[in-house]
Amino acid sequence: MLDVTRIRQDFPILHRKVHDKPLVYLDNAATTQKPHQVIDALVNYYSRYNANIHRGIHALAEEATAAYEEVRARTAGFIHAPSPRSIVFTRNATEAINLVANAWGRFRLKPGDEICLSEMEHHSNLVPWQLLAKATGARLSFIGITDDGHLKLEEYAHKLTSKTKLVAVTQMSNVLGTINPIDRIITQAHQRGALVVIDAAQSAPQLRLDVQQLDCDFLAFSSHKMLGPTGVGILYAREELLESMEPFLGGGEMISDVQLESATWNEIPWKYEAGTPNIADTIAFGKALDYLERLGFPNIRAHEQELASYAIKRLQELEDVVVYGPRDVQDRGGVVSFNLNGLHPHDVGTVLDHEGVAIRAGHHCAKPLMRRLGVAATARASFYVYNTVEEVDRLIEAIHVAKAFFGKPSRVTV
Ligand SMILES: Cc1ncc(COP(=O)(O)O)c(C=O)c1O
């Protein structure tokens, strides 16, 4: 189990007050807080060895290059990628997915080809494929979801055809908390000859990932959702794909040689990292990985499940509450979306904020999913390694304050 009291001491922000109340931070699916080990790594880099990487021949540049490339190797180990060559650093998970859509999709898809997505995708794993479909004439197809927030897998089997060239699904929904059986999804896609992109933005912070065991072709996630800084995304791709794809962005670093009219490309993964990368934040991301590994993923997962199941139980004790997503915490991570009939989630969120409780309220960048659920928005509490059962109690107390404050106005509708 996690020693949460000990962990909390590492996070300076958790000791501040909001509206004169101790902060209860339950917006971790949006971004997590950072431990001092990560913050210190940023200060250390800028105070001791700030330099541009890969090009310098002075000591600072060599130190910075080594630290940056060590994190690439560390990241490869973290998801059990066969080599650091298959790890590309981007700005965020969104950019990683756009990289695949542009560098792979634009050159591989033709009119009539199909891209299979699900109805629970974040806009980041939806809009890039819409753009790609528009540019290439490919069609989008969607795996539906059941009322309790699972993918309709029998439907998926029928959606896969010889025309399906790509399947792009989330491993964990940022709204429903659902953890999808991506091993099955990947196997079935490969049987049809389609490649698979996994959106691991929500799952990488909570689950031990093994890209070789999963046998996925592409996997994307973000540092800032797992204790690391903002501005660092990770794309894992099979090496042969990275070798054969076209560059995404052009500029310095990604070339081998440049003539006035043409250029040749650097080796992978640098072929996909044009311009000066986010050196400091990537180095600090390495410290976030160290931190999570020290805690241990089975412990992190058990902690998330404990908080999610306690939150669901306490929410369901309230009158007029709707909790979305799977009932069984085996099938879900530490994200709990809910609505209080009669109260708009934004109103709930505003009152909670005044009680010091930070949650998310809105469409969570999943508007098609909101429509499927028949709502315009939900409130969402999401947990991480430093949250406690007592904080879930504070959430419930704050909801009581909101209910008392607003009484029972109109229902939330689309
Ligand atoms: C499931 C999912 N995919 C993708 C993203 C995009 O992550 P980023 O904004 O870091 O690119 C998010 C962010 O909330 C997410 O929850």
Side-chain angles (χ1 to χ4, degrees), residues 29-30 92-95 122 124 170 172 174 199 201-202 222 224-225:
N92 44 40
T94 303
E95 189 176 272
H122 187 280
S124 295
T170 187
M172 178 178 149
N174 64 313
D199 175 356
Q202 294 296 339
S222 279
H224 71 94
K225 291 187 195 284

Side-chain angles (χ1 to χ4, degrees), residues 28-31 90-98 120-125 169-175 199-203 220-225 230-233 335 360 364-365 380:
N28 293 286
T31 198
T90 60
R91 280 190 306 141
N92 44 40
T94 303
E95 189 176 272
I97 294 168
N98 276 277
M120 66 168 77
E121 298 311 317
H122 187 280
H123 297 164
S124 295
N125 197 31
V169 284
T170 187
Q171 185 170 16
M172 178 178 149
S173 164
N174 64 313
V175 175
D199 175 356
Q202 294 296 339
S203 54
F221 57 107
S222 279
S223 147
H224 71 94
K225 291 187 195 284
T230 50
V232 181
V335 169
R360 195 71 150 190
H364 314 293
C365 297
R380 180 185 75 184

Side-chain angles (χ1 to χ4, degrees), residues 356-370:
V357 180
I359 61 153
R360 195 71 150 190
H363 55 67
H364 314 293
C365 297
K367 283 195 155 203
L369 176 56
M370 292 295 116

